[in-house]
């Protein structure tokens, strides 16, 4: 396991809600990342750990390899990969996202 992979694993394991995104929660750099943050905040999550993949190309590629998922943003809850903004949106509309985040 590379250093980046080890760091990603540690980050998603040690924090209840982690969003790998483009930009920051305060200043998302793409619409999908902005939507993901909006969904989390609307769901009542206030302790979101965000990782700006634009700051480090190794992390940007590393998270795609780690999850075997080609796009960013990527949401992890309690160490488990949930999906990107489309999946988050579907889960939010059905109430699944809120239930998962409150569990």
């Amino acid at each position: 396991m590379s250093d980046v992979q080890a760091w990603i694993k540690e980050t998603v394991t040690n924090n209840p809600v982690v969003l790998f995104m483009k930009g920051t929660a305060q200043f998302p750099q793409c619409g999908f990342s902005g939507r993901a943050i909006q969904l989390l905040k609307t769901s009542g999550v206030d302790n979101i750990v965000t990782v700006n993949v634009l700051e480090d190309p190794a992390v940007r590629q590393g998270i795609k390899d780690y999850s075997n998922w080609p796009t960013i943003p990527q949401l992890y809850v309690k160490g488990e990969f949930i999906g990107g903004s489309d999946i988050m949106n579907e889960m939010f509309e059905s109430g699944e996202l809120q239930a998962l985040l409150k569990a």
Side-chain angles (χ1 to χ4, degrees), residues 35-36 38-44 85-99 101-102:
R35 179 71 180 141
Q38 183 182 28
L39 290 169
L40 290 171
K41 288 183 176 176
T42 303
S43 297
S85 62
D86 290 348
I87 291 170
M88 289 174 66
N89 202 47
E90 289 172 18
M91 289 177 72
F92 180 82
E93 288 176 2
S94 72
E96 284 179 80
L97 185 63
Q98 299 88 320
L101 293 166
K102 287 184 174 117

Side-chain angles (χ1 to χ4, degrees), residues 36-98:
I37 283 292
Q38 183 182 28
L39 290 169
L40 290 171
K41 288 183 176 176
T42 303
S43 297
V45 180
D46 53 8
N47 58 339
I48 309 163
V49 172
T50 60
V51 178
N52 182 357
V53 300
L54 299 177
E55 292 178 346
D56 188 342
V59 171
R60 186 175 185 170
Q61 185 56 49
I63 193 60
K64 294 175 185 179
D65 296 339
Y66 183 83
S67 63
N68 198 24
W69 189 262
T71 59
I72 309 259
Q74 293 187 15
L75 175 65
Y76 290 79
V77 176
K78 298 180 182 142
E80 181 184 345
F81 175 59
I82 304 304
S85 62
D86 290 348
I87 291 170
M88 289 174 66
N89 202 47
E90 289 172 18
M91 289 177 72
F92 180 82
E93 288 176 2
S94 72
E96 284 179 80
L97 185 63
Q98 299 88 320

